[in-house]
Amino acid sequence: MGQELDRRVFLKKSIQTGIAAFSIGVSGRFYCKHVEPFWVETKAYKINIPSIPPAFHKLRIVQFSDTHLGFHFNLLQLTKMIDKINKLQPDLILFTGDLLDKPAQYKNKEALAIVEVLSKIKAAHGKFCCYGNHDHGHNGSSLYKEVMEASDFIVLRNSNRMLRAANGQSIYIAGIDEPMIGRPLWDKTLENIPDNQFVLLLSHAPDLAHQAKNLRVDMQLSGHSHGGQIQLPFIGPIFTPPFAKDFSDGLYNAGRMIVYVNKGLGTTRIPYRFLARPELTLFVLESGQLGDQKVQNNK
């Protein structure tokens, strides 16, 4: 009788444990697929670097990245993000690559719809972007350039542009090609930039920071990693792509250079995120001539 009772108790507890484990698994998968990928956070940082001229004090820069349109991220979601971006009142917009997940799937009609949405982003000092590996994939290089330029973005591929204030002071925005499919050329990327200028580099691949930190670059903005998409407590990302192994999520100091890796808005390969929420990032520049170099996180 006692053994039979013990067996019943054991079976009951086993069934309860099994149901609990199943429920956790189902609810966890639901969260990773249907909650966190849509739970966008906005991160804000104040950046004070000696080479930032006073004319650019309080310049508001918004970075977004890795939309991967077509893979569980659609135009409606992008439209909502544009509204969020414009509410941040950016002076400058920077996109760090991977607009489309598979460019070959997009025809003229779909491309025009993207242009209509991206054109709604407003920034007084302009909109700039660099190439990601997915932008080159499936012969998408020309399509990406056409879409972004039609949306009033300046595409920086191993090139740079000067932003000049009314008083003649200036900063430079540079963009280097990504290394997986593209061809990064440092000499061209930083060509003709005078010494002692603030240089902000767009590099889809974060780990190019190993080279950039030894060059005339003050700050690098990247994407590509998605923060790993899946992170574990106390461990971090369980998988990061090539060229995002050493710099995978958030803020870093690489020598005297600041590196920031944005987790992106979309997903790829698997439609899941865990402890790696999609993000928009706001940077407010503060003239380094007003104090020592510092980075302040205003989450």
Side-chain angles (χ1 to χ4, degrees):
M1 180 69 176
Q3 290 181 346
E4 183 66 24
L5 183 60
D6 289 343
R7 183 183 301 173
R8 289 178 181 177
V9 172
F10 173 76
L11 289 173
K12 182 178 180 181
K13 288 186 176 181
S14 297
I15 292 171
Q16 290 173 337
T17 300
I19 292 172
F22 176 78
S23 299
I24 292 171
V26 170
S27 61
R29 182 177 179 183
F30 180 87
Y31 171 83
C32 291
K33 185 174 183 179
H34 298 288
V35 178
E36 187 162 311
F38 306 97
W39 189 15
V40 179
E41 63 179 330
T42 299
K43 292 188 173 181
Y45 299 86
K46 291 181 179 179
I47 306 294
N48 187 315
I49 294 175
S51 55
I52 297 173
F56 292 88
H57 184 63
K58 299 298 182 183
L59 185 81
R60 296 171 66 85
I61 300 172
V62 171
Q63 178 196 12
F64 71 112
S65 192
D66 296 86
T67 51
H68 287 273
L69 282 165
F71 185 84
H72 295 266
F73 191 86
N74 57 40
L75 272 180
L76 178 59
Q77 291 168 269
L78 180 60
T79 301
K80 292 179 179 179
M81 290 303 103
I82 301 312
D83 290 339
K84 286 180 177 288
I85 289 171
N86 284 333
K87 286 178 180 177
L88 292 173
Q89 299 179 310
D91 299 306
L92 184 65
I93 291 289
L94 304 175
F95 177 70
T96 42
D98 280 0
L99 177 70
L100 309 175
D101 198 64
K102 295 180 179 179
Q105 296 178 347
Y106 283 79
K107 308 300 180 185
N108 289 339
K109 184 177 179 180
E110 289 88 349
L112 287 173
I114 298 170
V115 170
E116 184 178 351
V117 174
L118 290 177
S119 296
K120 295 178 181 178
I121 301 176
K122 305 301 179 185
H125 287 273
K127 304 186 290 188
F128 297 82
C129 65
C130 63
Y131 274 86
N133 54 296
H134 281 256
D135 302 318
H136 284 311
H138 304 276
N139 298 313
S141 304
S142 296
L143 176 64
Y144 177 73
K145 187 173 187 293
E146 290 170 6
V147 168
M148 298 308 284
E149 288 184 344
S151 306
D152 300 319
F153 278 78
I154 294 173
V155 181
L156 297 174
R157 186 180 185 185
N158 298 323
S159 59
N160 65 75
R161 286 292 183 95
M162 178 180 67
L163 297 184
R164 187 188 295 275
N167 67 354
Q169 294 178 341
S170 60
I171 63 174
Y172 281 78
I173 311 297
I176 194 163
D177 204 0
E178 68 80 35
M180 292 181 68
I181 302 176
R183 186 186 176 200
L185 300 171
W186 286 106
D187 288 344
K188 286 188 172 294
T189 300
L190 302 175
E191 189 175 31
N192 296 325
I193 298 179
D195 292 336
N196 302 317
Q197 289 282 306
F198 175 76
V199 179
L200 196 162
L201 174 70
L202 306 183
S203 171
H204 181 70
D207 287 355
L208 290 190
H210 289 302
Q211 289 78 48
K213 70 181 181 181
N214 298 316
L215 302 170
R216 290 176 297 162
V217 177
D218 296 283
M219 183 175 182
Q220 175 182 307
L221 299 185
S222 299
H224 187 47
S225 71
H226 302 197
Q229 284 191 198
I230 304 292
Q231 295 194 21
L232 298 179
F234 310 110
I235 295 176
I238 61 173
F239 171 80
T240 52
F243 299 99
K245 301 296 184 183
D246 298 325
F247 303 90
S248 60
D249 176 17
L251 195 65
Y252 301 86
N253 287 305
R256 68 173 186 83
M257 185 180 72
I258 293 170
V259 181
Y260 190 82
V261 184
N262 181 291
K263 293 193 290 293
L265 292 172
T267 58
T268 190
R269 296 189 180 182
I270 58 172
Y272 302 131
R273 282 184 180 268
F274 183 69
L275 299 182
R277 288 171 58 189
E279 71 169 279
L280 299 173
T281 317
L282 170 67
F283 302 97
V284 180
L285 300 189
E286 296 192 334
S287 176
Q289 298 175 28
L290 304 176
D292 296 329
Q293 176 173 331
K294 64 181 179 180
V295 177
Q296 181 176 340
N297 182 356
N298 290 320
K299 289 186 180 179

